[in-house]
Amino acid sequence: MIKGRVHSIETMGLVDGPGIRTVVFMQGCSLKCLYCHNPDTQCMKNNKSKLYTSEEIVKMAKRYEIYYKKSGGGVTFSGGEPLIQSDFLLEVLRELKKQGINTAIDTCGYGNLKNLKEIFEVTDNILLDVKHFDKDMFQIVTGRDMNHYMKFIDHLKDYKGNLWIRHVVVPGFTDTRESMEKLANFILSIPANVAKVEIIPYHKLGIEKYEKLGIEYKLKDIPEMDKNHAKALEKYLISIIDKQKTKKVSLVI
């Protein structure tokens, strides 16, 4: 049986997909985002991570099944980047679906693409980060080029579930109406059912983790994003998208 390396597991999660969710934070990520608040999940192995079988994850999830049913929740795989461990991810998603449990993956779109078609078939919701819509800024924010990410975007034409878009607004990066207009154009180009758009204000909650890991936090001089300004930008972004889509997207903050 395939085992997956898991950084941590959170129960009663409320922000990583619909309803009350168990959130499985997978270990390992190819990106090194400037504002990542989970730098301890980036390496493929650390002292705190543990190996789990799909059976163990499903058994744990079923303890909270009553909460899923009452709230429309389920299990979300986040990270790190869950698609890096795609063999394990596919196996555990299949087992959860057999149990009738709602599934979601929270992805940066920069993982292993080999099982993507099969993973799409057993994933009810995909939460996709748009790190940046400009290829040069994508490289600056993530440390990687945008080519692999765009391959994932292209694969989304085969995804029939609900796609949620999430974008972290950082002061000086994309905190303008002009940036929201460009972000709207990018979102509208994604070949999938975009069911929700969320703007996440940049924060520094993870900065202590960098200090403990001895990693330089490169955005230490950037102030946290004003939540009211972020909310206004989100409303503006959604208004642009609504003008071009008959199907409304949901306002989150």
Side-chain angles (χ1 to χ4, degrees), residues 219-236:
L219 299 186
K220 60 181 181 296
D221 296 326
I222 302 293
E224 292 190 333
M225 184 69 193
D226 180 85
K227 292 182 179 178
N228 290 329
H229 185 38
K231 183 177 181 179
L233 289 174
E234 183 177 75
K235 287 182 177 178
Y236 182 59

Side-chain angles (χ1 to χ4, degrees), residues 1-68:
M1 185 173 288
I2 304 169
K3 291 186 176 181
R5 185 162 290 281
V6 174
H7 173 272
S8 56
I9 297 175
E10 174 186 322
T11 58
M12 302 298 172
L14 297 173
V15 297
D16 294 311
I20 297 173
R21 309 194 71 80
T22 297
V23 185
V24 182
F25 293 90
M26 304 298 295
Q27 188 70 40
C29 184
S30 299
L31 304 185
K32 301 290 183 289
C33 297
L34 295 175
Y35 49 74
C36 178
H37 60 279
N38 289 322
D40 46 341
T41 66
Q42 292 175 353
C43 61
M44 286 305 300
K45 185 178 180 181
N46 70 17
N47 294 333
K48 294 183 179 179
S49 63
K50 296 180 180 178
L51 291 171
Y52 286 85
T53 64
S54 58
E55 186 178 40
E56 290 171 325
I57 296 293
V58 172
K59 184 178 179 181
M60 183 183 307
K62 284 184 69 64
R63 296 178 195 163
Y64 305 97
E65 208 166 7
I66 187 171
Y67 298 103
Y68 306 155

Side-chain angles (χ1 to χ4, degrees), residues 16-17 21 75-79 81-83 89 93 102-108 116 119-120 122-129 152 156 159 162-164 166:
D16 294 311
R21 309 194 71 80
V75 178
T76 297
F77 292 86
S78 183
E81 169 50 58
L83 287 172
L89 184 65
L93 286 170
N102 181 278
T103 57
I105 59 173
D106 177 11
T107 178
C108 64
L116 215 47
I119 288 173
F120 283 173
V122 287
T123 304
D124 297 302
N125 306 276
I126 292 178
L127 286 62
L128 174 65
D129 291 335
F152 178 82
L156 285 172
Y159 180 60
N162 294 317
L163 179 68
W164 292 18
R166 305 210 285 192

Side-chain angles (χ1 to χ4, degrees), residues 96-161:
L96 287 166
K97 290 305 293 179
K98 286 180 183 176
Q99 299 297 324
I101 296 174
N102 181 278
T103 57
I105 59 173
D106 177 11
T107 178
C108 64
Y110 222 98
N112 192 333
L113 305 181
K114 73 172 185 176
N115 296 321
L116 215 47
K117 182 179 178 182
E118 292 81 5
I119 288 173
F120 283 173
E121 291 173 353
V122 287
T123 304
D124 297 302
N125 306 276
I126 292 178
L127 286 62
L128 174 65
D129 291 335
V130 176
K131 301 297 185 183
H132 209 287
F133 41 80
D134 176 84
K135 65 178 182 180
D136 293 331
M137 285 303 299
F138 187 95
Q139 176 93 44
I140 291 172
V141 170
T142 70
R144 293 277 188 156
D145 67 52
M146 204 172 181
N147 294 335
H148 191 78
Y149 179 76
M150 292 309 296
K151 289 180 182 176
F152 178 82
I153 295 290
D154 184 57
H155 278 285
L156 285 172
K157 64 180 182 294
D158 298 321
Y159 180 60
K160 306 305 180 187

Side-chain angles (χ1 to χ4, degrees), residues 156-191:
L156 285 172
K157 64 180 182 294
D158 298 321
Y159 180 60
K160 306 305 180 187
N162 294 317
L163 179 68
W164 292 18
I165 299 295
R166 305 210 285 192
H167 175 71
V168 176
V169 172
V170 181
F173 284 66
T174 56
D175 58 333
T176 64
R177 287 167 68 91
E178 181 183 3
S179 290
M180 293 301 104
E181 291 162 7
K182 293 178 179 177
L183 177 58
N185 288 334
F186 185 84
I187 292 171
L188 288 164
S189 73
I190 296 174

Side-chain angles (χ1 to χ4, degrees), residues 197-228:
V197 176
E198 182 179 11
I199 290 295
I200 301 174
Y202 163 70
H203 61 72
K204 294 183 176 180
L205 296 179
I207 198 166
E208 289 185 2
K209 294 180 181 178
Y210 284 81
E211 293 171 356
K212 289 179 180 177
L213 292 169
I215 302 174
E216 179 188 5
Y217 188 70
K218 296 180 180 178
L219 299 186
K220 60 181 181 296
D221 296 326
I222 302 293
E224 292 190 333
M225 184 69 193
D226 180 85
K227 292 182 179 178
N228 290 329

